[in-house]
Amino acid sequence: MTASAEFTNETPLDIVLGAASARKVETAFGYSTVGQMLSHFPRRYMEIGELSKISELPVGEDVTIVAEVKSVNQRRMHSRSGFLLEVLVSDALGPEQSTLRMTFFNGYEAKRDLQVGSTAMFSGKVTLYRNHLELTHPEYSLLDAAEEADPRPIPIYPATAKFPNKKIREVMELVLAGIGTAGFPEFIPDPVLKSHRIPGRVVSYEHIHRPQTVTQGYAARKRFAFEEAFLLQLALAQRRAHRMKQPATSRSGTADGLLAAFDKTLPFTLTDGQLIAGREIADDLVRGHPMNRLLQGEVGSGKTLVALRAMLQVIDSGGQTALLAPTEVLAQQHYQSIKNHLGSLGTGGELGSDPRATRVDLLTGSAGAAERKRVLLGAASGETGILVGTHSLLSDMVRFVDLGLVVVDEQHRFGVEQRDALRSKADMPPYMLVMTATPIPRTVAMTVFGDLEVSLMRTLPPGRAPIATHIVPLQLPAMQQRLFARMAEETAKGHQVYVVCPRISEKAVEDDFLPMPIEPTPDTTASDGAAKPATMTVEKMLELLGSMEIFANTEIRALHGGMPSEEKADAMMAFDSGRASILVSTTVIEVGVDVHNATLMVIIDAENFGISQLHQLRGRIGRGGLPGTCLMTTWLDAEHPSVMRLKAVESTTDGFLLAESDLNERREGDILGASQSGSRSTLKVLRVMKDAKLIARAREAAESIVDGDDGLRTYPGLQAAVEEWVDEDMQAFLERG
Ligand code: ADP
Ligand code: MG
């Protein structure tokens, strides 16, 4: 290669590095082009300017030191397999030579890199071990003589054993030497760059990989974060603009229709949250363009009622509606609750029904042939106003005369594809309302659900009793007895108890429910030494409770996704009616289930669940004015990281607060669900929480361009960048919905 060559994104790396090195890069990182290599951004920088002296290291803080390796010593571990590498280093900065111990568990790389006499920059957290300071698994970068004298920050890249930091930096030198504005033209419009003080594209590549100062490096990072947010928001704004141009039947309702009649029968007044969200949705419905709205509300905030009122408005305008639920249990519950709410207004098609009444039907996978036929006919003839169901609503067999509104409960269980399948059942695009109880911070909503409008209900209906939450450490033997006694106390009072277990049986896990994309990967490692029994299962718990004297006269039922539908419905019915006092289940009861007499929620081995899941589970109790208690049991030590999650849930019942603390701790891949699909994280640089302000600004900039007279036409380079970004990254991103 020649230094004057102008690379582009697509330039193959073997032209730049030669075939052998290019192959190594490909093996290590999967990159084959200049563009991919340039997007391998440093995780952080180490800076000589911030060097600490070994003699003055502060315990518990992150430090960076430059030091010389004095000795390297390998020890076998007693308790576990593997080895411990001990490296003693010393610096020349202190009054006299001070030394510091560093340890690397299975430190194969460190053993190879850190030879006696070599100098490196180390960085990590200082800990105190047996009265000596040490760094455990510090990051390091070997320095040669020239670098020791060089004050520039050192980028620290995601690296592998075979492709360490130093080699990445060498590759980057070669790549950067050949880039210029011809191959990497600026596509962000100048006024946008200026008003947001964003550095140009080529300069930013230079600065993020070879900054003169750390500040320069971070400014460059901001460019790429902004670029990413901007392209994403442009694509979303275009989608939204496109949707707003499509026609949809306006559903203005009538003054004296079903909705009006229903409102008269309501035994309570709507909360402010319900009124405002209801108004927003009602306005959407008359707009004449397909609405896509996300209705967010705390567990128990009364979303179903808001959705039902919207459905009635559509029915009053001659349309039909569908409500899509993620599980059979939930579909069944929604159906029951809608029937109950509507009373005689929901008896359409039945003998002697109210003339204003509409027909409400339920379609699930377990419906018998005759029932199925009856339900399908009702929808296809236009008689059914509300069809509740699971994914079986998506089947080709389901036809409507005039589907006007689709309500989706718990958005994250359905992808865009499935929503599209429902949409395609209507001649005109139907309005779409998505309900979720998983609190989504605003910036996440803007990013992940960027093409949805958002309605938020933070208030709960009055009369909700408080819920007390406690962690129950099972290592204390007395605690187990306490736990069961507490359950017996509750049932003795005529109240009901949920017991949630992480698994169905030793063999079966719950797969009826897909994990939520924004759940973290649960950490189930027991702390060392604790005599933790195998994870509790629904089957074992059922057996255990059944064998206990205190529950001899108590009806105990199980509920999980592995049961046939009739059994599930039967168990739910038994609990709903109050006949069964204890329901042992998996997370199938996580959303929607609404039994007012339930006052105690026991979550077994709670560390298996994520924060939002725990919060959802807790929302199942305290619904009928009776105060609730949520007990989260765990075998883990109080200091275990997973117990921190439980402590967060214990400390507040504000779902939005929990969601934010939850998200702050997590990697973006988890938030966007990319880790689940196995693909790489969709957002490369952007951090949905940390970059909240930047995302908001990018959204504004994107909207003003898309809503402008010529849209993106004035900026062909930008349009191309958006399309490229959409092709590569957004497709997967949008598929998840
Ligand atoms: P969400 O789906 O948001 O978790 P639900 O729609 O299941 O909440 O409502 C929870 C309970 O509150 C239901 O029993 C419902 O009938 C009741 N409810 C809804 N709105 C009100 C209100 N404005 N006042 C009193 N109770 C209400
Ligand atoms: Mg609900």
Side-chain angles (χ1 to χ4, degrees):
M1 80 122 220
T2 57
S4 61
E6 278 263 333
F7 303 149
T8 68
N9 257 329
E10 277 72 43
T11 305
L13 278 176
D14 43 11
I15 295 185
V16 185
L17 310 174
S21 295
R23 209 164 29 244
K24 284 182 191 151
V25 171
E26 171 107 48
T27 311
F29 305 110
Y31 304 150
S32 56
T33 65
V34 161
Q36 290 169 336
M37 195 66 223
L38 280 172
S39 298
H40 191 72
F41 293 142
R43 252 180 312 129
R44 51 186 292 264
Y45 302 103
M46 293 210 292
E47 203 182 17
I48 298 208
E50 287 171 3
L51 284 188
S52 309
K53 296 176 189 173
I54 287 181
S55 55
E56 298 169 4
L57 288 181
V59 177
E61 278 177 38
D62 286 313
V63 298
T64 299
I65 59 168
V66 167
E68 192 185 319
V69 176
K70 291 296 177 195
S71 73
V72 178
N73 177 22
Q74 185 173 330
R75 281 206 293 125
R76 294 198 61 79
M77 304 287 288
H78 296 301
S79 51
R80 351 181 218 180
S81 60
F83 68 93
L84 193 71
L85 194 75
E86 288 178 326
V87 178
L88 277 184
V89 301
S90 83
D91 66 4
L93 291 173
E96 61 225 53
Q97 281 222 333
S98 348
T99 55
L100 177 69
R101 195 177 100 114
M102 304 187 180
T103 54
F104 299 84
F105 179 63
N106 279 347
Y108 292 102
E109 277 172 69
K111 190 176 156 191
R112 184 202 54 213
D113 294 341
L114 302 175
Q115 313 282 344
V116 172
S118 56
T119 300
M121 188 180 282
F122 300 91
S123 157
K125 193 186 275 284
V126 183
T127 53
L128 202 56
Y129 179 75
R130 295 195 176 142
N131 259 332
H132 290 288
L133 295 184
E134 73 169 41
L135 293 183
T136 309
H137 260 289
E139 287 184 311
Y140 60 84
S141 187
L142 287 174
L143 300 176
D144 54 35
E147 281 172 323
E148 270 182 79
D150 188 344
R152 286 181 306 170
I154 297 180
I156 304 295
Y157 290 98
T160 71
K162 294 230 173 72
F163 219 99
N165 203 57
K166 205 166 167 61
K167 268 182 79 185
I168 298 175
R169 295 176 62 205
E170 285 162 15
V171 167
M172 221 51 99
E173 292 288 327
L174 294 174
V175 171
L176 288 170
I179 70 165
T181 48
F184 291 84
E186 182 58 73
F187 51 76
I188 300 181
D190 211 38
V192 176
L193 287 181
K194 287 220 171 69
S195 67
H196 297 279
R197 296 203 210 156
I198 304 289
R201 193 171 174 207
V202 173
V203 171
S204 296
Y205 278 125
E206 173 68 28
H207 285 180
I208 201 165
H209 294 297
R210 279 193 305 212
Q212 294 294 325
T213 62
V214 169
T215 317
Q216 206 176 51
Y218 287 128
R221 180 204 168 271
K222 181 176 150 193
R223 142 96 204 188
F224 294 110
F226 185 86
E227 176 182 312
E228 197 164 28
F230 190 52
L231 294 179
L232 168 63
Q233 295 299 339
L234 280 168
L236 291 170
Q238 279 186 312
R239 257 174 86 96
R240 211 162 38 225
H242 174 72
R243 183 156 46 77
M244 292 316 276
K245 285 203 196 85
Q246 287 182 293
T249 316
S250 173
R251 314 280 182 176
S252 50
T254 49
D256 53 357
L258 257 179
L259 178 57
F262 172 71
D263 279 348
K264 284 206 194 84
T265 68
L266 262 185
F268 40 69
T269 51
L270 297 174
T271 65
D272 286 351
Q274 286 173 316
L275 282 172
I276 293 166
R279 188 75 264 148
E280 286 167 348
I281 297 165
D283 288 348
D284 283 344
L285 290 173
V286 301
R287 201 155 280 152
H289 300 288
M291 146 186 101
N292 258 353
R293 187 171 285 275
L294 182 69
L295 176 59
Q296 273 196 71
E298 272 284 2
V299 183
S301 57
K303 293 182 291 295
T304 314
L305 193 67
V306 173
L308 177 57
R309 294 185 67 251
M311 291 194 256
L312 296 180
Q313 177 174 338
V314 170
I315 296 166
D316 279 339
S317 320
Q320 294 169 282
T321 67
L323 194 165
L324 193 56
T327 65
E328 258 182 48
V329 174
L330 251 186
Q332 176 76 35
Q333 282 253 331
H334 272 304
Y335 172 73
Q336 262 323 322
S337 122
I338 287 175
K339 287 287 269 186
N340 293 347
H341 269 124
L342 286 179
S344 67
L345 294 174
T347 56
E350 293 170 28
L351 226 50
S353 67
D354 191 313
R356 293 164 304 179
T358 190
R359 176 169 159 186
V360 185
D361 269 338
L362 172 69
L363 184 69
T364 63
S366 60
E371 172 63 6
R372 200 176 159 71
K373 194 166 163 204
R374 194 189 68 80
V375 170
L376 292 178
L377 262 173
S381 69
E383 192 179 84
T384 304
I386 300 177
L387 182 55
V388 182
T390 51
H391 50 270
S392 47
L393 290 187
L394 306 174
S395 135
D396 281 345
M397 303 296 292
V398 181
R399 298 275 158 78
F400 295 89
V401 175
D402 182 12
L403 181 61
L405 170 66
V406 174
V407 178
V408 182
D409 193 10
E410 292 302 321
Q411 140 88 14
H412 47 273
R413 322 273 188 199
F414 289 101
V416 161
E417 251 168 60
Q418 286 165 312
R419 280 198 259 145
D420 282 348
L422 263 174
R423 258 198 208 110
S424 69
K425 295 186 182 301
D427 297 333
M428 290 278 239
Y431 296 93
M432 184 80 61
L433 178 66
V434 175
M435 303 192 281
T436 175
T438 308
I440 303 163
R442 216 176 84 83
T443 54
V444 180
M446 260 178 358
T447 311
V448 183
F449 304 104
D451 70 330
L452 302 184
E453 312 303 321
V454 178
S455 288
L456 194 64
M457 302 201 300
R458 282 195 90 141
T459 42
L460 295 184
R464 285 293 152 77
I467 299 171
T469 306
H470 304 288
I471 299 173
V472 180
L474 288 183
Q475 298 117 318
L476 311 176
M479 280 298 182
Q480 302 182 30
Q481 290 320 308
R482 256 319 274 135
L483 181 70
F484 295 121
R486 185 75 183 71
M487 288 167 56
E489 270 167 41
E490 219 54 44
T491 56
K493 279 189 236 164
H495 298 160
Q496 289 165 281
V497 179
Y498 291 104
V499 182
V500 176
C501 302
R503 297 171 67 97
I504 299 173
S505 66
E506 293 293 350
K507 291 179 292 299
V509 289
E510 186 67 79
D511 62 5
D512 184 87
F513 255 50
L514 300 170
M516 289 195 274
I518 73 166
E519 261 337 290
T521 320
D523 175 4
T524 55
T525 17
S527 56
D528 277 347
K532 184 195 181 301
T535 303
M536 188 43 98
T537 67
V538 171
E539 285 180 357
K540 277 193 279 182
M541 180 55 78
L542 202 61
E543 209 182 294
L544 179 65
L545 296 177
S547 71
M548 293 172 79
E549 190 59 35
I550 44 173
F551 297 121
N553 297 315
T554 306
E555 181 169 342
I556 303 172
R557 298 294 293 260
L559 179 69
H560 58 73
M563 290 160 47
S565 310
E566 314 84 71
E567 277 179 39
K568 271 191 278 189
D570 192 56
M572 204 53 234
M573 206 86 87
F575 193 67
D576 215 2
S577 69
R579 197 154 35 80
S581 299
I582 300 180
L583 188 69
V584 183
S585 77
T586 53
T587 49
V588 288
I589 58 143
E590 180 187 329
V591 280
V593 173
D594 192 19
V595 175
H596 287 193
N597 190 41
T599 52
L600 180 60
M601 165 67 62
V602 180
I603 306 171
I604 304 290
D605 297 336
E607 72 275 6
N608 286 282
F609 304 99
I611 286 185
S612 333
Q613 248 178 335
L614 293 168
H615 181 63
Q616 292 288 314
L617 287 170
R618 174 169 63 178
R620 299 303 108 214
I621 52 170
R623 306 198 121 217
L626 297 166
T629 304
C630 173
L631 302 177
M632 303 181 290
T633 79
T634 181
W635 285 93
L636 301 182
D637 292 337
E639 288 77 36
H640 194 282
S642 289
V643 176
M644 291 302 148
R645 279 212 307 272
L646 305 188
K647 283 184 178 151
V649 177
E650 190 181 36
S651 69
T652 176
T653 50
D654 184 332
F656 285 85
L657 220 70
L658 282 175
E660 293 197 359
S661 67
D662 196 13
L663 287 174
N664 272 324
E665 285 167 16
R666 267 191 268 144
R667 303 223 341 274
E668 266 15 62
D670 295 335
I671 294 175
L672 298 174
S675 58
Q676 244 135 48
S677 65
S679 67
R680 72 199 157 87
S681 169
T682 310
L683 295 184
K684 294 192 196 87
V685 195
L686 212 54
R687 295 289 170 264
V688 177
M689 295 301 292
K690 229 171 59 195
D691 294 321
K693 284 208 188 96
L694 191 135
I695 293 172
R697 286 196 284 139
R699 183 181 174 96
E700 260 169 46
E703 276 176 348
S704 73
I705 287 180
V706 171
D707 297 343
D709 292 339
D710 293 316
L712 272 174
R713 270 187 298 276
T714 352
Y715 306 101
L718 185 55
Q719 176 66 52
V722 172
E723 275 161 23
E724 189 180 324
W725 198 86
V726 166
D727 275 355
E728 285 179 8
D729 299 83
M730 186 127 159
Q731 230 36 53
F733 183 80
L734 292 174
E735 291 318 315
R736 275 193 311 274

